[in-house]
Amino acid sequence: MSLRLLPMSGRVNVMVTTTLPTSMTAVVHDRYGDPDVLRIDEVARPSPTEGQVLVEVHMGTVNRTDCGFRLPRPWFVRFFSGLLRPKYRILGTEFAGVVVDKGAGVTKFEIGDRVFGVNERFGAHARYMCISQDVSIGRIPADRTFAEMAGVTDGGTIAMACLDWSGLAAGQRILIYGASGAIGTSAVQLAKHIGAHVTAVCNTANVGVVTALGPDVVIDYTTTDFIADLTASGETYDVVLDAVGKSSFRRCRALVRKGGRYVSTDLGFMWQNPFLSLATLKFAPKQVQMPIPKYTHDKVETLAGLVAAGDFRAVVDRTYPLDQIVDATRYVETQQKVGNVLIDVMSTTPG
């Protein structure tokens, strides 16, 4: 996939506090479980070590990674999150905020830089968070807000990985199932940027949102069995992307043309997709793929360039204050969110 990288504007003058507090407000959890295990607490503020910046987080998101590590689900997440209790007390991967301090050896960012990205070590559901300068972090375009940028990176990076692995090229045809989620809305925009013909599938309530992203065709799956109808009509695609993990290669196989690819963001029923990916790797006429995204500085810069050019935006469903994170998490777990659910880390409910 070829995405053009635009030069970014320079540093933005931002007033920062010269004396930082020693503690901070954060959402913590000390055991696995449903959203009620999350609670607001006052904890020690982290300090940046060599190569790290300290970000004052203004906006974050709740995404499926946060939910998976909190439950944890699937079970093998415990090998990364802690076997008996959570290793990462403060969740939150996506963020947008301001650099307020930096450790020795930091050359890519200065105090006052407005930044966004993904912290794979979590910590964004707190007032302050440390992150390495060399990972998935970049500057916010000068004319964009924290709310516009907080939800860009996770869905954007996963969608980019799906399209990269699929080899989607200009003029090819792609069907995107789950086009209204964070990954789906990103995939629609990135596929159009490549120059592909995009068919987007969503429910009735989200047709307007998805149509505004510019796909060539929008299908409402609540009014038709789109897989059966498309199969009967003989429609085929170079890439079929299941952005929500609610379909299967067996059901969609007839929609994938010879030499094409079925791409899923989920393990699938009985974890079939990794096995199918291996089984179809070499000689099968239709390949199954389950891409593993890599969160890098270069990908953040690419997404920032697309945002600055007006070719990409993060769709936002709802915004919750930090102390309503339980409600925000419950809503995300309904699997009905449109695009992204934001957390305003600087805000709490009055009273």
Side-chain angles (χ1 to χ4, degrees), residues 173 236-239 253-261 285-286:
R173 291 165 54 84
T236 58
Y237 301 86
D238 299 283
V239 178
R253 184 171 185 168
L255 301 182
V256 182
R257 64 180 47 167
K258 188 175 180 179
R261 293 173 173 86
K286 302 177 182 182

Side-chain angles (χ1 to χ4, degrees), residues 78-342:
R78 287 179 182 266
F79 291 113
F80 307 97
S81 65
L83 289 176
L84 300 178
R85 61 182 58 87
K87 175 182 176 182
Y88 302 103
R89 293 185 70 221
I90 302 172
L91 295 172
T93 57
E94 288 186 284
F95 67 91
V98 180
V99 175
V100 293
D101 197 7
K102 61 179 186 173
V106 173
T107 58
K108 293 180 180 178
F109 301 98
E110 297 294 339
I111 293 175
D113 282 347
R114 299 190 314 142
V115 293
F116 76 107
V118 163
N119 189 347
E120 293 186 84
R121 294 183 176 272
F122 298 94
H125 293 165
R127 182 68 178 268
Y128 297 98
M129 175 196 72
C130 288
I131 184 172
S132 169
Q133 68 169 347
D134 296 320
V135 294
S136 186
I137 178 174
R139 289 188 180 87
I140 294 176
D143 59 345
R144 296 296 190 266
T145 66
F146 297 122
E148 289 175 301
M149 299 303 295
V152 165
T153 313
D154 188 52
T157 300
I158 296 173
M160 199 181 297
C162 290
L163 301 185
D164 280 342
W165 281 44
S166 73
L168 185 70
Q172 290 188 328
R173 291 165 54 84
I174 181 172
L175 181 141
I176 301 172
Y177 178 39
S180 60
I183 300 170
T185 53
S186 298
V188 169
Q189 296 174 82
L190 293 174
K192 287 303 299 180
H193 182 77
I194 291 170
H197 180 283
V198 178
T199 297
V201 181
C202 63
N203 64 21
T204 304
N206 300 327
V207 166
V209 172
V210 172
T211 299
L213 300 176
D216 299 278
V217 179
V218 178
I219 298 175
D220 179 356
Y221 70 77
T222 64
T223 62
T224 179
D225 183 344
F226 74 96
I227 295 177
D229 290 349
L230 291 173
T231 300
S233 67
E235 291 281 353
T236 58
Y237 301 86
D238 299 283
V239 178
V240 173
L241 168 59
D242 181 352
V244 287
K246 293 184 178 180
S247 184
S248 68
F249 177 56
R250 181 184 63 81
R251 288 201 67 209
C252 296
R253 184 171 185 168
L255 301 182
V256 182
R257 64 180 47 167
K258 188 175 180 179
R261 293 173 173 86
Y262 171 81
V263 184
S264 179
T265 60
D266 190 77
L267 292 167
F269 177 67
M270 297 185 69
W271 301 2
Q272 62 180 295
N273 288 331
F275 296 103
L276 288 172
S277 181
L278 291 173
T280 62
L281 184 61
K282 292 293 184 181
F283 305 110
K286 302 177 182 182
Q287 189 175 348
V288 176
Q289 296 179 328
M290 187 183 165
I292 301 173
K294 292 184 178 180
Y295 299 92
T296 66
H297 176 75
D298 288 344
K299 286 185 172 64
V300 173
E301 289 294 305
T302 296
L303 289 168
L306 292 171
V307 171
D311 293 334
F312 186 89
R313 64 182 176 88
V315 174
V316 175
D317 185 332
R318 302 180 183 185
T319 302
Y320 292 82
L322 185 67
D323 60 357
Q324 290 185 20
I325 190 128
V326 171
D327 292 335
T329 302
R330 288 193 188 283
Y331 177 61
V332 169
E333 292 185 346
T334 66
Q335 299 184 14
Q336 297 301 312
K337 72 180 179 71
V338 182
N340 299 273
V341 170
L342 302 189

